[in-house]
Amino acid sequence: MKVAIITGISGQDGIYLSKLLINKGYKLIGTTRSCELFDYSNFNSIGVKKSDLIIEELDLMVMSNIVSLIIKYKPDEIYNFAAQSSVSKSFEDSIGTFSFNTNSVNNLLESIKLTKPNTKFYQASSSEMYGESDSLPIKISTPMRPISPYAVSKVASYFMVKTYRDSYNIFASNGVLFNHESPFRASNFFTKKIINSAFLIKEGKQKFLEVGNLHIKRDFGDAKKYVEAIWKLMQQDKPMDLIICSGQSILLKEVVEYVFKKLDINLNLITINQEFFRPNEIFDIYGDNSDAKKILDWDYDCTFFQVLDILIDDEINKRSLN
């Protein structure tokens, strides 16, 4: 039986990866900042029972705690999803974002080196690292030009993973994921925020939707499918860094208008608020997923409108139960 640890297990990627690993017979340990506040409801909704998981409290800023956890469970694989992952919030708290997102990764890598160097390590890297690139689609070799504190922190962690891989022969891989969505996406992220607001407007609980710059394009995909690629990346004979994305970008304006039209809401209720504009912005970004498809034998061919349909239908089902 393989043993895996997932940090940040309560996020959308951790939830879907839990289901995948349990189905494959893994012993699974998830880490959280507070066991007392841990919520199993999202796991239960996809058939993951409380008894399927071992949940441990872990402060990733304290390396001795990580060392103790690795000694206790002797994991074959560690998947690191823990991070301050909001780009907007990183502008408000640049020091906290950089400190946690870099030190947590350093502590994990050093703990593996000291205690169980044959443990495979996955780092959740981000398309934000590439910034406003002169060349699209983004490839793994595209020069990185981060333009937010969040992106800078992810670049630092990306290269620390490479450093430990090259210097200490540790199996450490970066999965560079572009935007990916699911019903478990946190409410402060763009797509979930749009869908939630649209339903509130339809129910008469909100008058209009305030948004920032909608003339921005992003590469959106399906979190459930991306998690399959993450697991396949960790099953390779050699560690590597790969882009995981849909391969196409879509205007945020199209996303908002699709949701409103799907719910039969007047588009005039969408208002632009300059206060929501970021200090620095990437206007168009999409990736090249050909290596992921070829190397991992990964199949991805859905459009983001299909993903939006899943998210909207899920929200309809949730509200019908309440």
Side-chain angles (χ1 to χ4, degrees):
M1 177 184 286
K2 280 188 176 182
V3 178
I5 292 174
I6 301 176
T7 69
I9 194 171
S10 59
Q12 63 173 1
D13 293 350
I15 293 168
Y16 283 118
L17 184 61
S18 297
K19 175 73 170 178
L20 187 153
L21 295 183
I22 289 165
N23 287 347
K24 292 184 179 296
Y26 280 67
K27 178 179 179 180
L28 184 57
I29 298 92
T31 73
T32 182
R33 293 176 183 175
S34 171
C35 286
E36 186 179 346
L37 300 176
F38 193 81
D39 185 359
Y40 289 91
S41 58
N42 286 335
F43 295 89
N44 295 339
S45 71
I46 59 170
V48 175
K49 302 185 295 291
K50 184 176 181 178
S51 58
D52 293 326
L53 304 172
I54 299 171
I55 301 299
E56 293 272 9
E57 275 190 17
L58 180 66
D59 183 350
L60 288 168
M61 299 296 276
V62 181
M63 198 179 82
S64 60
N65 292 349
I66 302 172
V67 168
S68 297
L69 192 71
I70 293 175
I71 291 172
K72 181 177 180 179
Y73 290 107
K74 301 177 177 58
D76 299 284
E77 299 166 5
I78 295 177
Y79 296 84
N80 182 38
F81 296 135
Q84 193 300 98
S85 55
S86 168
V87 175
S88 298
K89 186 176 178 180
S90 77
F91 283 105
E92 300 168 9
D93 183 15
S94 60
I95 295 173
T97 297
F98 188 84
S99 176
F100 182 81
N101 288 359
T102 56
N103 288 333
S104 58
V105 175
N106 294 355
N107 288 341
L108 284 161
L109 289 165
E110 184 67 11
S111 297
I112 290 170
K113 186 190 82 172
L114 293 174
T115 56
K116 195 174 182 291
N118 64 335
T119 297
K120 291 184 174 184
F121 179 77
Y122 171 83
Q123 168 61 11
S125 292
S126 168
S127 60
E128 293 283 335
M129 300 185 302
Y130 291 95
E132 186 72 20
S133 178
D134 295 332
S135 176
L136 293 175
I138 298 294
K139 301 177 183 293
I140 203 70
S141 58
T142 300
M144 295 180 183
R145 298 174 180 173
I147 63 171
S148 70
Y150 167 77
V152 171
S153 73
K154 284 293 185 177
V155 169
S157 296
Y158 175 92
F159 282 105
M160 190 59 75
V161 168
K162 289 174 67 69
T163 298
Y164 269 77
R165 182 169 71 215
D166 297 339
S167 301
Y168 305 115
N169 199 32
I170 287 174
F171 189 112
S173 294
N174 286 293
V176 183
L177 271 64
F178 282 58
N179 294 66
H180 48 294
E181 308 297 321
S182 79
F184 303 126
R185 189 62 143 155
S187 59
N188 60 310
F189 286 90
F190 176 78
T191 305
K192 195 64 177 288
K193 178 182 175 182
I194 298 305
I195 291 174
N196 286 345
S197 294
F199 274 94
L200 291 174
I201 291 170
K202 190 160 183 71
E203 295 165 354
K205 298 175 182 176
Q206 185 172 314
K207 292 183 178 180
F208 53 87
L209 170 68
E210 282 190 298
V211 292
N213 191 349
L214 294 182
H215 294 286
I216 290 169
K217 300 180 79 174
R218 288 290 183 271
D219 184 331
F220 287 103
D222 181 355
K224 188 176 181 180
K225 287 291 293 182
Y226 283 21
V227 161
E228 293 175 11
I230 290 171
W231 178 79
K232 288 187 173 188
L233 177 59
M234 289 283 273
Q235 310 315 306
Q236 300 305 299
D237 293 331
K238 296 180 179 180
M240 66 187 76
D241 307 319
L242 279 180
I243 299 282
I244 300 171
C245 63
S246 75
Q248 56 189 332
S249 61
I250 180 174
L251 268 173
L252 300 190
K253 186 174 185 287
E254 292 181 74
V255 174
V256 177
E257 290 183 352
Y258 184 86
V259 172
F260 271 53
K261 289 176 181 177
K262 181 92 173 176
L263 296 176
D264 194 27
I265 302 172
N266 191 330
L267 298 181
N268 291 329
L269 298 178
I270 303 167
T271 63
I272 306 299
N273 187 336
Q274 295 281 340
E275 292 183 4
F276 293 166
F277 283 44
R278 291 175 180 169
N280 210 347
E281 189 59 88
I282 302 169
F283 287 93
D284 189 13
I285 188 169
Y286 63 95
D288 180 352
N289 62 14
S290 58
D291 282 346
K293 286 183 173 181
K294 180 180 178 181
I295 295 170
L296 305 180
D297 189 26
W298 180 56
D299 176 40
Y300 191 88
D301 59 3
C302 66
T303 70
F304 191 56
F305 294 116
Q306 291 172 299
V307 178
L308 283 173
D309 285 340
I310 293 171
L311 302 182
I312 293 168
D313 289 343
D314 178 79
E315 193 63 31
I316 289 171
N317 290 335
K318 284 179 180 175
R319 288 171 183 269
S320 68
L321 295 173
N322 295 334

